[in-house]
């Protein structure tokens, strides 16, 4: 396993930074049942906090996308991790439903690190392997969602209860203090990444601009170019139906298994963690499959893989909704999770092709789609019972699979038409050359 600069160092900093961000983003999730009892909250109030926690990331991803094109991923990754660590450490100060929602809103900025994670690997690796690279850093980062369930819910929380006592006051003190641990780790990680990694194969952006090897980038122009491309919004919708589903499950799984199958907080958290643990290989599998089919059939192969994963994912949601036994629900959830994360990997196998000079902005917009999906599905779980919410989710996922028919990327074959793809061998992510119109935009 190489840790050499610049490529592999950026690869490992990318997934580890996103892993820690995901860990603190959902560190509260396995503790929600205890917080509910301590603060006497209702189910809707818990879901409101969960919805707010993922919605806060939407704006961050829109902002961070073009910011990556201008400043690079390294600095932004460090800033976001350090900033998100502060509200995470303040979890123990919550005393009401409103306080919980506000806290999770600010912790939610950690989810913006996904944009830097995907942009960084796209900047470092050629398009022949970018699907696999993006999928691995994204998948291993998403793994934090599963690890936080088991570490926070079944390791640290019980350990803190032993220290403070297993009575009501001891349990309250345990959930109020346990989040300090991941907060400290996140802050240290943010500082470390800044000092040990590089923005691009040729060095850091500020040095490249001084040396004339990289032009000044207009963040506004980059965002405009990505936003007017219809393919960006089709992928936005499809990502809402895979990553949005994963975020929803991160918030819902522990509560679901506790309430529907009468599990304890610790066992429900352990079961819920299984969904996230599939990221160890599933998202990478999606990216690898996308690269493999691209080598055989060009862009049509990537789109076919994307459609297949989404269709199977949607079907498995319906099966999961009808599972009445604990063992059956766990087994189906495993396969459901695999296809959710494989679809995430195949999505970002397509993103770098849409408009290479605006990859940061497009990655940010598509990434925001995942959070929009999580908000929408979260509203469903807030208002409906679990069965109906899962049926709505499954229907939306199947509908998104049909959107693949409308993905048409210039110079590449589509699902039903187009010939041989344009030559893109060994082409890495490029940056746009400035023009007179872009120079008038605000460089922010």
């Amino acid at each position: 396993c190489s840790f050499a600069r610049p490529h592999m160092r950026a690869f490992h900093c990318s997934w580890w930074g996103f892993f820690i961000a995901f860990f603190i983003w959902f560190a509260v999730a396995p503790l929600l049942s205890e917080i509910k009892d301590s603060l006497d909250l209702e189910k809707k109030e818990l879901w409101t906090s969960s919805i707010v926690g993922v919605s806060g990331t939407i704006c961050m991803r829109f902002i961070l996308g073009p910011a990556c094109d201008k400043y690079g991923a390294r600095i932004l990754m460090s800033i976001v991790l350090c900033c998100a660590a502060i509200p995470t450490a303040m979890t123990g100060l919550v005393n009401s439903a409103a306080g919980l929602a506000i806290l999770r809103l600010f912790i939610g900025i950690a989810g913006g690190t996904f944009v830097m994670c995907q942009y960084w690997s796209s900047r470092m690796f050629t398009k022949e392997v970018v699907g696999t690279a993006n999928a691995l850093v994204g998948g291993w980062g998403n793994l934090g969602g599963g690890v936080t369930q088991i570490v926070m819910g079944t390791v640290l929380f019980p350990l803190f209860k032993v220290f403070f006592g297993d009575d009501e006051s001891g349990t309250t003190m345990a959930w109020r203090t346990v989040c300090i641990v991941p907060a400290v780790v996140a802050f240290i990680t943010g500082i470390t990444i800044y000092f040990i990694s590089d923005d691009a194969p040729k060095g850091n952006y500020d040095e490249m601009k001084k040396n004339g090897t990289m032009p000044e980038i207009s963040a506004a122009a980059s965002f405009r170019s990505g936003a007017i491309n219809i393919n960006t919004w089709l992928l936005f919708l499809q990502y809402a139906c895979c990553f949005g589903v994963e975020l929803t499950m991160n918030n819902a799984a522990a509560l679901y298994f506790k309430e529907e199958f009468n599990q304890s907080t610790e066992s429900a958290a352990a079961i819920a963690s299984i969904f996230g643990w599939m990221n160890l290989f599933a998202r990478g599998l999606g990216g690898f499959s996308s690269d493999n089919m691209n080598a055989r059939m060009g862009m049509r192969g990537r789109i076919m893989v994307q459609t297949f994963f989404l269709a199977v994912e949607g079907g498995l949601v319906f099966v999961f909704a009808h599972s009445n036994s604990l063992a059956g629900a766990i087994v189906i959830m495993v396969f459901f999770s695999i296809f959710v994360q494989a679809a995430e990997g195949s999505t970002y196998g397509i993103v770098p092709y849409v408009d290479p000079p605006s990859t940061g902005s497009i990655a940010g917009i598509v990434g925001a789609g995942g959070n929009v999906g999580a908000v929408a599905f979260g509203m469903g779980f807030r208002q409906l019972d679990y069965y109906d919410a899962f049926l709505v989710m499954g229907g939306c996922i199947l509908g998104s699979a049909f959107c693949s028919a409308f993905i048409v990327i210039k110079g590449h074959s589509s699902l039903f038409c187009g010939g041989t793809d344009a030559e893109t061998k060994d082409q890495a992510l490029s940056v746009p050359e400035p023009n007179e119109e872009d120079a008038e935009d605000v460089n922010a």
Side-chain angles (χ1 to χ4, degrees):
C1 180
S2 173
F3 197 63
R5 300 177 83 158
H7 301 83
M8 294 311 297
R9 181 75 59 87
F11 175 86
H12 291 298
C13 286
S14 179
W15 77 260
W16 178 251
F18 186 42
F19 175 94
I20 294 300
F22 224 103
F23 193 102
I24 62 174
W25 192 9
F26 289 98
V28 175
L31 309 174
L32 285 177
S33 59
E34 301 296 338
I35 296 174
K36 177 184 177 183
D37 294 338
S38 294
L39 303 182
D40 195 25
L41 304 181
E42 297 179 358
K43 175 188 173 184
K44 286 188 176 181
E45 291 174 321
L46 292 183
W47 271 105
T48 297
S49 76
S50 296
I51 292 168
V52 169
V54 295
S55 63
T57 309
I58 297 173
C59 291
M60 288 299 298
R61 292 191 173 189
F62 277 115
I63 294 169
L64 290 169
C68 278
D69 287 323
K70 184 175 178 63
Y71 300 109
R74 176 182 59 95
I75 294 174
L76 297 174
M77 178 76 82
S78 299
I79 292 173
V80 172
L81 280 173
C82 291
C83 290
I86 297 171
T88 303
M90 298 173 66
T91 300
L93 302 179
V94 170
N95 288 306
S96 66
L100 180 63
I102 293 171
L103 177 86
R104 298 193 74 186
L105 172 67
F106 285 102
I107 294 176
I109 66 174
T113 54
F114 173 75
V115 179
M116 288 78 86
C117 170
Q118 296 295 283
Y119 179 87
W120 214 349
S121 59
S122 294
R123 192 75 174 93
M124 289 289 182
F125 297 96
T126 66
K127 286 188 175 181
E128 285 186 319
V129 296
V130 73
T132 303
N134 280 349
L136 286 174
V137 295
W140 292 354
N142 281 4
L143 184 62
V147 174
T148 195
Q149 294 279 354
I150 196 166
V151 171
M152 295 298 292
T154 65
V155 179
L156 288 180
F157 177 63
L159 186 63
F160 273 57
K161 280 203 300 183
V162 170
F163 181 78
F164 288 110
D166 203 18
D167 56 2
E168 184 177 343
S169 62
T171 299
T172 300
M173 282 299 298
W175 72 256
R176 287 188 181 279
T177 56
V178 70
C179 287
I180 294 174
V181 176
V184 171
V185 175
F187 196 87
I188 293 173
T189 297
I191 294 174
T192 303
I193 285 175
Y194 178 82
F195 287 105
I196 70 169
S197 56
D198 307 289
D199 290 326
K202 294 182 180 180
N204 293 325
Y205 276 21
D206 55 349
E207 298 169 354
M208 292 167 65
K209 291 173 183 176
K210 287 179 182 178
N211 297 332
T213 56
M214 176 182 175
E216 281 287 348
I217 306 301
S218 167
S222 171
F223 181 80
R224 182 174 63 245
S225 178
I228 63 175
N229 194 313
I230 186 63
N231 296 303
T232 300
W233 297 101
L234 291 171
L235 293 172
F236 174 98
L237 180 61
Q238 291 189 325
Y239 202 61
C241 291
C242 50
F243 188 63
V245 170
E246 180 175 0
L247 294 181
T248 303
M249 289 299 291
N250 284 340
N251 281 318
L255 287 171
Y256 175 74
F257 283 103
K258 182 172 183 177
E259 295 175 6
E260 297 295 312
F261 295 99
N262 299 315
Q263 299 297 298
S264 66
T265 298
E266 290 81 3
S267 62
I271 295 170
S273 73
I274 297 172
F275 194 95
W277 277 103
M278 295 302 103
N279 274 298
L280 193 60
F281 69 92
R283 186 160 181 155
L285 176 64
F288 176 79
S289 300
S290 182
D291 284 343
N292 188 267
M293 289 298 288
N294 178 64
R296 297 183 181 185
M297 304 176 65
M299 181 55 63
R300 179 175 294 138
R302 290 192 186 273
I303 299 173
M304 288 175 63
V305 167
Q306 172 87 341
T307 306
F308 172 74
F309 286 147
L310 285 169
V312 177
E313 174 196 340
L316 287 173
V317 174
F318 285 102
V319 179
F320 182 74
H322 289 87
S323 301
N324 295 317
S325 69
L326 178 62
I330 293 173
V331 171
I332 295 168
M333 184 180 71
V334 168
F335 288 99
F336 165 36
S337 177
I338 289 172
F339 281 93
V340 167
Q341 287 141 24
E344 295 167 9
S346 62
T347 300
Y348 273 84
I350 299 172
V351 164
Y353 288 82
V354 176
D355 184 8
S358 301
T359 295
S361 295
I362 294 169
I365 293 171
V366 174
N371 293 82
V372 171
V375 171
F377 294 135
M379 290 295 294
F381 279 88
R382 183 181 186 275
Q383 300 298 130
L384 306 172
D385 59 36
Y386 286 113
Y387 176 78
D388 291 336
F390 277 121
L391 292 187
V392 171
M393 178 187 285
C396 291
I397 297 168
L398 289 176
S400 74
F402 288 100
C403 292
S404 295
F406 303 101
I407 297 176
V408 181
I409 298 174
K410 184 178 179 180
H412 299 279
S413 57
S414 64
L415 193 60
F416 298 115
C417 60
T420 305
D421 285 14
E423 181 66 37
T424 59
K425 236 179 183 182
D426 295 331
Q427 181 183 354
L429 174 66
S430 60
V431 293
E433 294 291 341
N435 55 46
E436 293 181 4
E437 181 183 352
D438 294 347
E440 297 175 359
D441 289 310
V442 178
N443 289 332

